[in-house]
Amino acid sequence: MVATEQPLLQPFPAKSSAVESALSSGNGSHNPEAFRQALNKVLYGRSFYIPSFDIHRGVSGLFDYGPPGFNVKSNILKLWREHFVREEKMLEIECTCVTPEVVLKASGHVDKFTDVMVKDVTTGAPYRADHLVKDYCNEKLEKDVTISAEKAAELKDLLVVLENLSIEDLGMKIKEYGITAPDTKNPLSDPYPFNLMFKTSIGPSGQHTGYMRPETAQGIFCNFNELYRYNGKKLPFAAVQVGQAFRNEISPRQGPLRVREFTLAEIEHFVHPENKSHPKFSRVAKLEFLMFPREEQVSGQSAKKLCLGEAVAKGTVNNETLGYFIGRVYLFLTRLGIDKDRLRFRQHLANEMAHYAVDCWDAEIETSYGWIECVGIADRAAYDLLAHSEKTGVALVAEEKYAQPKEVEKLVITPVTKELGPAFKGNQKNVVEALEAMNEEEAMKMKATLESKGEVEFYVCTLEKNVTIKKNMVSISKEKKKVYQGSFTPSVIEPSFGIGRIVYCLCEHCFSTMPSKAGDEQLNVFRFPPLVAPKMCMVFPLVKNQKNQKNQQFEEKTRVISEELTSCRIDHDIDIKGISIGKRYVKSDELGVPFAITVDSETSVTIRERDSKDQVRVSLKEAASVLTSMAEEKMTWQDVWVSFPHHSSHSSPAADE
């Protein structure tokens, strides 16, 4: 599923005083750019993201994950597998990234997976045509105080239909508005399609063309028969794949949101096309969250909270299985820490829908860039399986037993071997197999020709030549039979997750800033939930001074706690730098670590919680078990606060040491 940007429909909201401080300019208005600058300073400064091959000046659209960013991404994927794969008992596979051209030709990617490009006629710099038109419209609407109401309405209407414009229409708009290259103001070339797939050759001869896969789904579709058999020929079932995908973006922008290599997590849920109910739909039916049906979009309304069960019952969401996955996606994203008030499910407009899709909804997350699509949940009908089946001649179908026998008309092809043998001798087997492999259209056409002319020329692919078939060599008829089982091509419900986009949006939603007590510096905090934080805790031995004899004892106790945390699989770091505990807390908060253990006694430690800054005191022996209980969600911080002696961090003797 192709991830697409959405225009900024509403101003980026400030959800707390800390975020409001980061977003506000001198006149108090929200400033997304200032917020992004503050966020990026931490993301890149603390190595959440690293521009790829930076020492060689890098290439736009490629990013590496540094240690904290990798850990957040890894934890999101771990939770994704628990939430979907394990709970729904899905089948996870891993397919190759290099894909033969014939596969992507069948799926439509070779012919249709394109964006429209223009070039600076002088420098040759490439640009996406729709991006230039969109930027022009937004700039005029936001900054041109002289724009007429009629012109403003025209530009707003254009933004709505922009994705559906033809190459010719985009070219006309660029000329009509006098749009030039943003960097040089030079004229632009006529627009033309650019295929987004990375092309390569398979093997040393270069004769076999391949591509780096633009999505992970096609490998699942091609393996349908094997997966269906592995699942005991039971339907419905879901297969999933997590892996890298590649798109040769024309002009990557928006930092880590639009990149050329990224991680997708895709679910292909195979279901009977005439029965898309879901046995567990009642578990999500009462959920209420922001939904944006196409009717509200067209009429200029905004997203509203709707009950999912009612949306399915009214047909706003096409079927229960699609609705079930919309609900499960909502629960997953909010559990990660995505703000539910800045998460909406937007239905594709008619001009956005793929020709084969029955219904499609995007989970969009609001950021400083606007609404960003992070998950697409689509009913793809049977398009993919049918496309690969037609190309290969291999049936990709499921079987079903009928409650009552059905009378059907079946094609019967009976080669007459006693006539074929003398005519074709050693090639008889090839001819028989070719005759039996005919589809209904071919067979009935042959029958008509034989009846009118008495013979027909017939191509046998295994012999690579035409042979003459006479009327007495084959019997072709249709017979009515009672059948007790049949086959069908399953429909596919596909939730497709852009993991990198989710990581970035989560960083925006969890980030806040505040001034220090002295007011001389800005303190940054990532309020990641413990499940996805880069580390569960930091361990700080108290350092009185460089010559203090207790330092060695504290460090020894720190080592013991660290070993216990490791044995409990609690991801943590130790910071023994000779700076104050308060400053070490600040550094830990900036990474988003939810807990800190300060070893400030030979018999007990202080556990400090990031968001409240409250602290409790527990014995050395209890420290690891307390962290383990919170990591396994058996205890909350409130439970710990009630169970152990506590005090405010502001009065803690350790805080200022």
Side-chain angles (χ1 to χ4, degrees):
M1 174 161 288
V2 182
T4 57
E5 299 170 72
Q6 298 302 325
L8 180 60
L9 302 179
Q10 299 178 20
F12 180 73
K15 289 299 175 181
S16 67
S17 58
V19 176
E20 188 165 349
S21 173
L23 287 175
S24 296
S25 59
N27 61 9
S29 62
H30 298 327
N31 188 338
E33 185 61 35
F35 174 81
R36 264 200 308 276
Q37 288 179 0
L39 172 66
N40 287 336
K41 185 177 180 181
V42 180
L43 289 178
Y44 294 107
R46 297 304 301 269
S47 298
F48 280 82
Y49 293 105
I50 304 170
S52 300
F53 315 110
D54 199 31
I55 63 172
H56 290 280
R57 299 190 176 182
V59 177
S60 63
L62 296 176
F63 288 89
D64 299 331
Y65 286 93
F70 174 83
N71 286 345
V72 171
K73 177 185 174 185
S74 178
N75 288 336
I76 287 174
L77 284 172
K78 179 182 178 183
L79 189 61
W80 185 87
R81 285 186 166 97
E82 291 175 357
H83 188 85
F84 291 104
V85 182
R86 184 179 300 174
E87 184 160 339
E88 307 294 340
K89 296 179 173 57
M90 298 175 174
L91 309 178
E92 185 167 3
I93 66 172
E94 181 176 278
C95 303
T96 63
C97 294
V98 178
T99 308
E101 183 177 44
V102 65
V103 175
L104 295 168
K105 186 75 174 175
S107 66
H109 285 84
V110 172
D111 298 323
K112 299 178 181 178
F113 197 71
T114 58
D115 278 337
V116 180
M117 185 165 77
V118 292
K119 285 187 176 181
D120 183 315
V121 297
T122 303
T123 67
Y127 301 95
R128 265 185 63 170
D130 60 331
H131 281 180
L132 296 182
V133 175
K134 182 170 73 173
D135 291 345
Y136 170 86
C137 294
N138 285 330
E139 186 171 359
K140 293 288 286 185
L141 290 168
E142 293 169 9
K143 298 181 180 180
D144 189 350
V145 296
T146 66
I147 190 172
S148 67
E150 182 181 0
K151 189 66 174 180
E154 175 193 325
L155 297 180
K156 289 177 181 178
D157 290 342
L158 178 57
L159 285 171
V160 172
V161 301
L162 186 58
E163 291 185 2
N164 202 40
L165 292 185
S166 66
I167 294 176
E168 293 75 17
D169 290 338
L170 280 170
M172 288 174 59
K173 291 299 179 185
I174 288 172
K175 289 179 180 178
E176 178 184 344
Y177 298 143
I179 298 173
T180 57
D183 302 318
T184 64
K185 306 306 177 186
N186 291 329
L188 296 166
S189 70
D190 291 333
Y192 59 94
F194 174 77
N195 194 291
L196 297 175
M197 292 191 295
F198 285 98
K199 194 173 185 178
T200 186
S201 59
I202 301 173
S205 67
Q207 293 180 345
H208 300 288
T209 299
Y211 295 90
M212 303 302 291
R213 65 184 180 189
E215 62 179 25
T216 67
Q218 299 309 316
I220 297 175
F221 297 137
C222 290
N223 284 318
F224 172 78
N225 283 343
E226 285 71 19
L227 293 167
Y228 180 54
R229 283 194 291 268
Y230 181 85
N231 199 53
K233 294 189 175 182
K234 293 181 293 184
L235 214 71
F237 78 92
V240 309
Q241 185 169 188
V242 177
Q244 298 304 97
F246 307 83
R247 295 177 187 175
N248 196 11
E249 295 286 350
I250 294 170
S251 51
R253 56 185 188 174
Q254 296 187 330
L257 285 174
R258 185 168 289 279
V259 292
R260 290 178 163 129
E261 179 182 348
F262 50 93
T263 302
L264 282 179
E266 295 190 297
I267 299 169
E268 309 301 333
H269 181 90
F270 299 99
V271 63
H272 197 294
E274 296 177 6
N275 181 12
K276 295 179 182 178
S277 61
H278 198 286
K280 295 196 290 186
F281 179 69
S282 60
R283 300 186 185 184
V284 299
K286 294 182 180 179
L287 290 175
E288 290 188 2
F289 46 80
L290 288 174
M291 299 187 75
F292 204 7
R294 63 172 66 96
E295 290 78 11
E296 278 73 3
Q297 297 174 57
V298 172
S299 61
Q301 300 180 52
S302 57
K304 297 176 182 177
K305 281 191 176 181
L306 298 177
C307 173
L308 182 57
E310 293 178 8
V312 171
K314 292 177 180 178
T316 305
V317 176
N318 184 266
N319 57 77
E320 276 192 3
T321 298
L322 185 65
Y324 178 73
F325 279 108
I326 289 174
R328 293 287 291 158
V329 169
Y330 170 80
L331 293 173
F332 170 70
L333 292 175
T334 52
R335 190 181 181 195
L336 291 181
I338 295 298
D339 183 349
K340 62 181 174 57
D341 293 326
R342 286 187 278 165
L343 168 64
R344 73 181 185 190
F345 288 80
R346 188 184 69 84
Q347 189 175 30
H348 278 204
L349 298 172
N351 60 15
E352 294 178 275
M353 291 277 284
H355 65 277
Y356 53 80
V358 176
D359 195 6
C360 186
W361 294 74
D362 290 338
E364 296 181 335
I365 299 173
E366 194 179 22
T367 71
S368 61
Y369 289 108
W371 289 98
I372 301 298
E373 174 202 342
C374 291
V375 188
I377 309 109
D379 184 335
R380 297 173 65 107
Y383 172 81
D384 300 280
L385 294 180
L386 287 171
H388 288 294
S389 184
E390 181 180 350
K391 186 70 176 178
T392 62
V394 177
L396 300 174
V397 297
E399 299 170 355
E400 64 176 333
K401 290 184 178 180
Y402 301 136
Q404 298 292 332
K406 294 183 179 181
E407 189 172 77
V408 298
E409 197 172 52
K410 295 194 71 174
L411 176 69
V412 179
I413 301 174
T414 308
V416 182
T417 54
K418 69 177 182 178
E419 300 294 339
L420 292 168
F424 298 108
K425 297 182 172 59
N427 293 329
Q428 177 188 356
K429 181 180 178 182
N430 303 72
V431 177
V432 169
E433 289 176 346
L435 288 169
E436 291 176 337
M438 286 190 296
N439 61 37
E440 184 173 328
E441 182 181 354
E442 292 175 307
M444 299 314 292
K445 187 176 180 180
M446 175 181 281
K447 177 181 174 67
T449 304
L450 288 173
E451 289 177 351
S452 63
K453 297 182 178 180
E455 63 181 39
V456 65
E457 290 297 302
F458 177 59
Y459 182 75
V460 180
C461 61
T462 53
L463 298 178
E464 297 185 344
K465 66 177 182 179
N466 284 327
V467 300
T468 300
I469 300 296
K470 296 184 178 180
K471 187 175 181 179
N472 62 344
M473 292 180 177
V474 62
S475 169
I476 301 172
S477 62
K478 285 187 174 181
E479 298 178 3
K480 288 187 176 180
K481 290 185 176 181
K482 282 189 176 181
V483 295
Y484 296 85
Q485 64 180 28
S487 62
F488 62 92
T489 304
S491 285
V492 176
I493 310 296
E494 179 195 67
S496 178
F497 298 74
I499 299 301
R501 288 188 168 196
I502 293 172
V503 172
Y504 177 81
C505 292
L506 180 65
C507 288
E508 278 216 8
H509 283 211
C510 291
F511 182 70
S512 61
T513 67
M514 63 192 70
S516 63
K517 279 186 180 181
D520 57 347
E521 63 177 322
Q522 176 178 286
L523 304 181
N524 306 303
V525 182
F526 278 114
R527 302 183 189 277
F528 295 120
L531 282 170
V532 296
K535 299 285 181 183
M536 182 67 175
C537 75
M538 300 291 289
V539 185
F540 302 140
L542 188 63
V543 180
K544 293 289 186 181
N545 56 56
Q546 295 300 319
K547 296 182 180 180
N548 193 296
Q549 294 181 353
K550 287 191 175 182
N551 287 351
Q552 188 173 353
Q553 294 174 338
F554 289 158
E555 289 182 17
E556 175 61 25
K557 301 298 183 184
T558 299
R559 184 186 62 78
V560 172
I561 290 176
S562 177
E563 289 177 354
E564 291 179 354
L565 290 171
T566 300
S567 67
C568 295
R569 299 181 180 179
I570 300 297
D571 204 5
H572 66 285
D573 268 343
I574 300 173
D575 188 346
I576 58 173
K577 293 183 178 67
I579 58 175
S580 72
I581 291 296
K583 289 182 178 179
R584 281 185 269 180
Y585 284 157
V586 168
K587 288 168 61 68
S588 175
D589 291 348
E590 193 171 61
L591 280 176
V593 182
F595 303 105
I597 298 176
T598 301
V599 183
D600 51 5
S601 164
E602 295 183 36
T603 58
S604 63
V605 298
T606 296
I607 301 179
R608 181 245 195 193
E609 197 266 339
R610 176 198 61 213
D611 298 337
S612 65
K613 296 181 174 53
D614 290 333
Q615 300 178 357
V616 299
R617 181 162 292 280
V618 305
S619 69
L620 280 168
K621 294 181 179 180
E622 292 174 307
S625 64
V626 169
L627 264 294
T628 301
S629 295
M630 288 192 288
E632 295 175 350
E633 298 184 309
K634 295 177 180 177
M635 294 180 72
T636 65
W637 175 251
Q638 186 61 35
D639 296 328
V640 175
W641 179 258
V642 170
S643 302
F644 294 92
H646 51 264
H647 50 74
S648 167
S649 61
H650 302 295
S651 62
S652 166
D656 299 318
E657 290 292 337

